[in-house]
Amino acid sequence: MDAIIKVFQFIQGLGVSVVMPIVIFIIGCAFRTGVGKSLRAGLTVGVGFIGLNLVINSLLGTSLSPAVQAMVDRYGLSLSTIDVGWPASAAIAMGSTVGLIIIPLGLLVNIVMLLTNTTQTVDVDIWDYWHFAFTGALVAIITDTLWLGIIAAVVNMVIIMVLGDVTAPEVEKSLDLPGVSLPHGFTTAYAPIAMVINKLIDMIPGVRDININMDTVQRRFGVFGEPILVGTFLGIIIGIIAGYDVTEVLTLGISLGAVLVLIPKMAALLMEGLIPISDAASEFIQGRFQNRGKIYIGLDSAVGVGHPVTLAISFILVPLLIFLAVVLPGNTVMPFADLAVIPWMFVLITPIVKENGFRGLIVGLIVLVFGLWIATDLAPMITTAANNVNFQMPEGASQISSICDGANPLTWALVRLNGLGYIGTGVGAFVAAAMAIWNRNRIKKEASQLHDGGEAA
């Protein structure tokens, strides 16, 4: 087991831009795409991920976070729990006992679900298994039982895999990502909430007719409604609120305008490499298993972050989140390090609300309010998990938390369920099993319709 763990730790250490080309090449060869095409596809995907990371880290991360810190300093804001960001959360999760086995465990769960036809997704995004490990680590702390933590991690993954399948058609249509699903532990957790709120809005006369999307904005404002100008305008507003001088305001505006332009281009490059492999995988599976339906490649939700509505909503909500953190009763978390991941919350919310920016903002405000309360509630356990792996606490910090995954509603629900004892663990396992069985029936029905349609043609 130690040798196996070391192998997976080595693979994880190589990074997504190195391992993803290897994984895509192997999958392409397995599905008879050809050595040359598989190699090109893998390298193109790797380059796409490098481009995404450069834009997200160099432009979004280094531009937005300092602006928010300037807001905090300018208005003298202070709260007792520090947002340490997703890299720290991932390190804490993967350093836990659950984290040590999460990659082989996650691969096993995916294989079992594929064999039992309870998922349509081949999840190659093994780095983001840390979200499941994060849940498992907190459950192990609250129950003081390792195996309950492992069960919670599996339950989390099963639920996310099913939600990834269900939302995949909208991902294909709205985000222009054919053959892709997003079984991402953070992003996908918000999909059910968006579905419920979207349905509730449909019941409210007048409000249900409000529709703000990029097409409407561009028709109304012409060139001034294009993503590059929307991003630049929002960047300038954030810079002014932060108290920047003219040079800094304009630099932030150009940087956020660049984000709205470059992320979609990097995602398109990534898809250029992935589409041949996705098509080959679907053709291979459907040709041999008539009840399998369409097969999706599961990727990091970073590939969908670049949608103009997603980014515009996120830029609007960043300063609002700071305000909410200060005025919200019961909150102790000061958002900081994870502000750059706010767009990840909306990757699936945007398709679910049909790219309606108004509805996206409503959903966003609700999930951020409850997210702050969740992050506050989980802070003691996250701090304990950090101490268990000898995480270096920020100077002067008594408690830490994060937006990703500290504000994750699914993580919170599973942790609190398991805190009720074995009954709560059983409820979580039952929900995951019921969702998997329901998904199997849905997949078989979809496969039957595809098969009947093919015969009719």
Side-chain angles (χ1 to χ4, degrees):
M1 180 58 73
D2 288 342
I4 293 173
I5 290 173
K6 287 180 180 178
V7 169
F8 282 104
Q9 286 177 330
F10 171 75
I11 293 173
Q12 184 187 9
L14 291 175
V16 63
S17 59
V18 174
V19 179
M20 187 61 77
I22 298 173
V23 172
I24 295 299
F25 173 74
I26 293 172
I27 292 175
C29 290
F31 291 128
R32 300 179 181 177
T33 307
V35 174
K37 288 184 178 180
S38 298
L39 181 60
R40 184 185 184 280
L43 292 174
T44 303
V45 168
V47 170
F49 269 110
I50 288 176
L52 275 173
N53 288 330
L54 282 173
V55 175
I56 291 167
N57 295 328
S58 299
L59 285 177
L60 191 57
T62 59
S63 297
L64 199 55
S65 293
V68 173
Q69 182 61 53
M71 291 182 205
V72 172
D73 295 339
R74 185 184 188 190
Y75 299 107
L77 307 179
S78 178
L79 291 166
S80 60
T81 302
I82 295 178
D83 167 21
V84 293
W86 76 263
S89 297
I92 292 167
M94 297 305 283
S96 69
T97 306
V98 178
L100 291 175
I101 63 171
I102 194 60
I103 291 180
L105 179 64
L107 290 171
L108 178 62
V109 169
N110 193 188
I111 291 169
V112 170
M113 291 187 73
L114 286 167
L115 291 175
T116 56
N117 208 16
T118 51
T119 188
Q120 297 166 275
T121 296
V122 180
D123 189 3
V124 300
D125 184 25
I126 61 175
W127 299 268
D128 281 323
Y129 287 2
W130 76 261
H131 296 283
F132 313 133
F134 188 85
T135 300
L138 297 190
V139 168
I141 288 169
I142 198 172
T143 62
D144 197 26
T145 309
L146 174 61
W147 66 270
L148 290 180
I150 294 172
I151 290 174
V154 172
V155 166
N156 193 350
M157 182 171 182
V158 171
I159 292 173
I160 291 296
M161 293 293 288
V162 173
L163 291 173
D165 287 347
V166 171
T167 55
E170 289 296 336
V171 167
E172 289 189 304
K173 179 181 176 182
S174 179
L175 303 182
D176 194 23
L177 297 172
V180 168
S181 67
L182 304 176
H184 189 273
F186 179 63
T187 296
T188 312
Y190 296 96
I193 298 173
M195 293 174 187
V196 171
I197 297 174
N198 198 47
K199 288 290 185 183
L200 291 175
I201 293 175
D202 283 335
M203 300 176 186
I204 305 174
V207 176
R208 65 189 175 200
D209 299 323
I210 301 174
N211 186 6
I212 302 173
N213 58 43
M214 279 298 170
D215 290 337
T216 303
V217 171
Q218 286 188 233
R219 282 198 302 269
R220 182 165 297 179
F221 297 102
V223 67
F224 293 100
E226 293 182 3
I228 187 171
L229 289 171
V230 171
T232 301
F233 174 75
L234 291 174
I236 288 172
I237 295 299
I238 292 172
I240 292 172
I241 295 173
Y244 277 3
D245 61 30
V246 174
T247 300
E248 292 170 324
V249 166
L250 294 176
T251 300
L252 180 60
I254 295 297
S255 295
L256 295 192
V259 167
L260 262 71
V261 173
L262 293 177
I263 287 183
K265 293 185 182 298
M266 294 302 102
L269 179 62
L270 188 150
M271 287 308 304
E272 180 185 329
L274 191 65
I275 286 174
I277 305 302
S278 176
D279 290 345
S282 293
E283 184 179 342
F284 182 89
I285 296 294
Q286 290 167 16
R288 290 161 177 77
F289 303 97
Q290 294 299 320
N291 66 339
R292 294 287 165 168
K294 185 169 183 175
I295 294 297
Y296 299 101
I297 302 296
L299 292 180
D300 189 310
S301 55
V303 299
V305 165
H307 194 286
V309 172
T310 295
L311 289 173
I313 291 172
S314 302
F315 293 164
I316 291 170
L317 287 176
V318 163
L320 285 177
L321 177 58
I322 302 300
F323 174 76
L324 285 172
V326 175
V327 303
L328 193 64
N331 173 59
T332 67
V333 178
M334 173 54 73
F336 173 57
D338 259 347
L339 287 168
V341 306
I342 296 300
W344 271 252
M345 282 186 172
F346 297 94
V347 171
L348 286 180
I349 292 175
T350 295
I352 289 169
V353 300
K354 308 299 182 184
E355 303 175 41
N356 186 332
F358 171 76
R359 294 192 180 198
L361 281 171
I362 298 299
V363 176
L365 284 170
I366 292 172
V367 298
L368 287 177
V369 166
F370 283 94
L372 287 171
W373 280 330
I374 289 170
T376 297
D377 185 55
L378 293 181
M381 279 173 280
I382 294 173
T383 304
T384 300
N387 291 329
N388 288 346
V389 299
N390 298 316
F391 175 77
Q392 185 65 44
M393 298 284 285
E395 186 177 349
S398 58
Q399 275 196 155
I400 62 171
S401 191
S402 62
I403 302 301
C404 174
D405 261 11
N408 188 323
L410 179 56
T411 294
W412 178 81
L414 291 174
V415 169
R416 287 306 173 191
L417 265 177
N418 279 272
L420 299 175
Y422 292 118
I423 293 177
T425 303
V427 169
F430 174 79
V431 169
M435 288 181 67
I437 293 169
W438 173 85
N439 200 38
R440 173 182 166 84
N441 292 332
R442 183 191 63 79
I443 292 169
K444 291 173 68 176
K445 182 178 179 180
E446 178 186 297
S448 176
Q449 292 172 342
L450 286 173
H451 181 64
D452 293 343
E455 287 186 344

